[in-house]
Amino acid sequence: MKAKAVSYDYTASIECLAQPHKAQYGGGIIKNPEFNEGLNGWSTFGNAIIQHRNESNANKFVVARKRTQPQAGVSHKLYLQTNLLYTFSAWVQVSEGKPLVRAVFKTPTGFKHAAATVAESGCWSMLKGGLTVDASGPAQLFFESQDTSVEIWVDSVSLQPFTHEELRQGNPVANSKISIKQKVSGKPVGCATNNYIVNSAGYQNWFSSRFTHTTFANEMKWYSNEAIRGKENYSVSDSMMAIMKQHNIAVRGHNIFWDDPKYQPSWVPSLGQNDLWAAASNRIKSVMTKYKGQVIGWDVVNENLHFNFFESKLGADASSTFYKMASSIDSSVPLFLNEYNTLEEKGDPTSTLAKYLAKLWEIQKALGANYKQMAIGLQGHFSVPNLPYIRSSLDTLAATKLAIWLTEIDVKSNPNEATYLEQVLREGHSHPGVNGMIIWSTWNPEGCCGLCLTDNNFNNLATGDVVDKLLKEWGIKATLEGQTDAHGFFEASLFHGEYEIEISGPANTSLSQSFKVEPRHELDHQIMLLQVST
């Protein structure tokens, strides 16, 4: 007998609510997840006092008080296995202030950070995350905050294990009996490119036969367009844009500014405040006006959680000002907050989900009525992808109802590189909140930097084979061909997008028609059943 699989719960909340939601999956493997049985299954971690409490509406929860260490508080013991993927959620509140609260698992091989949020007093915030473990064995969940003066309240805790097969979406059925060609993908998968594509027919052919979307790796950045102050040069990016137009490949604008001080034009760091404002204003007007109507979105200030070059020179609201300027120049395309380690590394305190959302809301406030123009850009530079954490993080960010792109997907070179790349691409493509993905791989005759998809003869490496397999599976740049059955029926599983169908019948009759497959709930593909009749 086969047990019925548990469906993944994409629900997440970014609001601070008067009451917590019920525990997802009924708590999963957590005992007494909503504290309806007092403190049964729960104990103290470190130096703290834990107490069971009831709210006036009969909601029950646990409180950790008199904490003398960041890790001190409430704890739950369990057993974790290496072959499973764990998705975690909980609701937390604090007695005062707005400190960062983390959910941490102590495992045989070390501490695993599962989730983090900025908790508040008087309302409940959702923690959502996930983890995998390096070795099976006993583990201990606890909640930590560097602010030891606050009480941590915890409720509705859940830890649900999934197998890789359960967490992965089902494979589409590709046994169509007719000719269907996808014209526009509902969830684009593209790849970065660079200046070498201008003079390499081999690179152009390999690239254009696969991808519908791209990002120029360096050629649209400020240091490429204005290496010498006042002497703008868009010749390379113009040549690349012409190639993309020739092959109907959409381009993401990357980037207007980069907040890392290492990647400024050489003449910029020495400018005074007034001159820097003037130069930056000219830059944003120049590049956005030039490529208005030619790009599908802009990374306005790249990596402005990890770095603060412009803020240090122009003031704390520099990024917000740049986004506001960008919106006034072109309000028709999304403006992305593009960062790393929001999906990749949950241990990076600089770009946690809470800090990403705080920066996002700060910029949205500056945009005023155009706040919905903001979009979420998640770079995705992975070593070993933590799939449950990726999915739960996407759940949380999707609660903003803004467009989400995985903008720079790559995997560090290792023996499992192709496998990990496939896992990340499948996770992004299957998530209902993700609108598109760009693989961060470019060809260089002297050897690619980072992820490589081909050799110098444009023969696929294992990673390139993975990409081709997925593009074919998802119907991107592919045509499904066949014939109807004896009853005039054919069935196909189609991903979201725009299609053209061609039907050739008896007596040289033919029909050509376009149609669109729209999203429905959380499904990333839909079954189409067509009967051809006269």
Side-chain angles (χ1 to χ4, degrees):
M1 179 180 293
K2 184 177 180 180
K4 184 178 179 180
V6 176
S7 298
Y8 182 81
D9 188 345
Y10 287 95
T11 305
S13 174
I14 55 174
E15 300 179 49
C16 199
L17 303 179
Q19 298 298 325
H21 291 178
K22 292 290 186 180
Q24 294 187 326
Y25 314 102
I29 61 174
I30 297 292
K31 185 176 182 180
N32 188 22
E34 296 175 352
F35 303 96
N36 292 322
E37 303 173 22
L39 296 177
N40 184 28
W42 296 85
S43 58
T44 303
F45 190 90
N47 296 319
I49 296 174
I50 63 172
Q51 181 181 31
H52 185 255
R53 290 186 189 175
N54 295 336
E55 290 184 307
S56 58
N57 59 5
N59 180 52
K60 301 176 177 65
F61 57 96
V62 66
V63 174
R65 58 191 185 89
K66 294 188 176 181
R67 302 169 48 252
T68 61
Q69 305 157 308
Q71 300 86 1
V74 63
S75 172
H76 190 87
K77 295 181 179 179
L78 24 72
Y79 188 92
L80 302 182
Q81 297 175 251
T82 56
N83 60 337
L84 295 176
L85 308 170
Y86 294 91
T87 184
F88 171 83
S89 65
W91 289 78
V92 294
Q93 185 175 160
V94 290
S95 55
E96 60 183 357
K98 293 185 178 181
L100 185 70
V101 174
R102 293 181 183 272
V104 184
F105 286 79
K106 182 181 180 182
T107 74
T109 58
F111 293 93
K112 297 279 187 175
H113 292 85
T117 191
V118 173
E120 299 184 39
S121 174
C123 56
W124 293 90
S125 300
M126 187 181 191
L127 277 164
K128 191 166 188 185
L131 75 154
T132 57
V133 293
D134 304 316
S136 297
Q140 198 166 4
L141 162 67
F142 63 92
F143 298 83
E144 71 171 20
S145 174
Q146 294 299 316
D147 186 349
T148 58
S149 67
V150 301
E151 296 178 353
I152 300 177
W153 302 9
V154 179
D155 199 0
S156 300
V157 185
S158 172
L159 187 69
Q160 177 63 40
F162 288 93
T163 64
H164 283 268
E165 291 74 20
E166 288 171 333
L167 203 60
R168 174 178 163 178
Q169 296 287 322
N171 290 321
V173 180
N175 61 345
S176 304
K177 301 298 182 181
I178 207 161
S179 176
I180 304 175
K181 184 175 183 179
Q182 188 182 74
K183 306 296 288 185
V184 179
S185 172
K187 185 169 289 189
V189 179
C191 186
T193 189
N194 60 20
N195 61 292
Y196 288 106
I197 202 166
V198 174
N199 297 312
S200 172
Y203 192 5
Q204 288 184 32
N205 292 337
W206 179 87
F207 191 91
S208 63
S209 65
R210 286 164 171 80
F211 300 110
T212 59
H213 289 67
T214 192
T215 301
F216 300 168
N218 294 298
E219 292 75 12
M220 211 176 275
K221 293 172 180 172
W222 195 4
Y223 58 67
S224 296
N225 303 146
E226 196 178 0
I228 300 173
R229 187 179 186 183
K231 295 185 177 181
E232 294 178 339
N233 185 349
Y234 292 103
S235 59
V236 177
S237 53
D238 281 349
S239 297
M240 294 173 67
M241 185 67 77
I243 292 170
M244 300 309 150
K245 289 180 180 178
Q246 178 186 348
H247 295 287
N248 296 314
I249 297 172
V251 179
R252 292 187 70 255
H254 176 78
N255 50 52
I256 299 173
F257 299 111
W258 197 345
D259 231 351
D260 189 337
K262 294 190 300 183
Y263 297 109
Q264 307 303 321
S266 60
W267 53 272
V268 165
S270 62
L271 296 179
Q273 187 180 72
N274 291 339
D275 281 349
L276 182 55
W277 270 122
S281 298
N282 181 72
R283 160 63 179 172
I284 195 168
K285 291 174 185 176
S286 174
V287 70
M288 287 195 69
T289 301
K290 179 170 184 58
Y291 291 116
K292 187 174 183 178
Q294 301 181 67
V295 298
I296 60 171
W298 282 104
D299 295 331
V300 180
V301 185
N302 201 41
E303 299 174 357
N304 59 349
L305 287 176
H306 281 92
F307 305 103
N308 65 346
F309 171 78
F310 292 99
E311 287 76 8
S312 69
K313 298 280 189 177
L314 303 175
D317 61 349
S319 285
S320 295
T321 301
F322 290 146
Y323 278 88
K324 190 173 182 179
M325 293 171 65
S327 181
S328 68
I329 296 170
D330 189 353
S331 61
S332 66
V333 296
L335 306 177
F336 287 85
L337 179 63
N338 194 45
E339 259 296 349
Y340 64 91
N341 277 357
T342 302
L343 286 184
E344 305 94 312
E345 179 52 67
K346 56 186 177 293
D348 185 346
T350 306
S351 53
T352 62
L353 287 170
K355 290 188 177 180
Y356 186 99
L357 288 168
K359 175 63 75 172
L360 182 72
W361 291 329
E362 172 189 313
I363 297 170
Q364 283 188 302
K365 184 177 180 181
L367 292 184
N370 289 344
Y371 71 97
K372 290 184 178 179
Q373 191 179 354
M374 284 300 294
I376 293 170
L378 308 168
Q379 293 184 11
H381 301 294
F382 294 96
S383 295
V384 179
N386 181 336
L387 298 181
Y389 184 77
I390 293 170
R391 183 173 295 192
S392 59
S393 297
L394 290 173
D395 293 347
T396 299
L397 294 170
T400 64
K401 308 299 182 185
L402 298 176
I404 299 175
W405 278 65
L406 309 189
T407 56
E408 303 180 17
I409 298 172
D410 63 11
V411 176
K412 186 177 180 180
S413 180
N414 66 74
N416 296 313
E417 183 179 35
T419 298
Y420 292 156
L421 178 62
E422 180 172 356
Q423 289 177 350
V424 172
L425 291 173
R426 285 192 182 279
E427 193 61 42
H429 192 268
S430 67
H431 198 284
V434 173
N435 298 85
M437 300 185 290
I438 299 291
I439 301 163
W440 205 248
S441 176
T442 57
W443 176 76
N444 186 320
E446 297 178 0
C448 55
C449 178
L451 178 68
C452 297
L453 299 180
T454 75
D455 61 19
N456 273 357
N457 295 315
F458 299 102
N459 297 312
N460 276 359
L461 303 176
T463 49
D465 286 340
V466 162
V467 172
D468 280 0
K469 177 180 73 173
L470 295 179
L471 293 178
K472 181 178 180 181
E473 180 180 313
W474 297 332
I476 298 175
K477 289 245 177 176
T479 300
L480 304 178
E481 296 182 338
Q483 64 182 22
T484 57
D485 65 14
H487 301 285
F489 284 100
F490 86 95
E491 182 179 322
S493 179
L494 303 176
F495 287 91
H496 304 154
E498 298 177 16
Y499 292 83
E500 184 174 85
I501 183 170
E502 294 184 358
I503 305 170
S504 299
N508 295 320
T509 59
S510 63
L511 172 67
S512 178
Q513 187 170 334
S514 298
F515 65 94
K516 182 181 289 188
V517 179
E518 299 279 12
R520 181 168 62 89
H521 305 300
E522 74 277 8
L523 298 180
D524 62 356
H525 66 283
Q526 295 182 23
I527 302 296
M528 184 177 77
L529 184 65
L530 174 74
Q531 184 179 34
V532 180
S533 60
T534 58

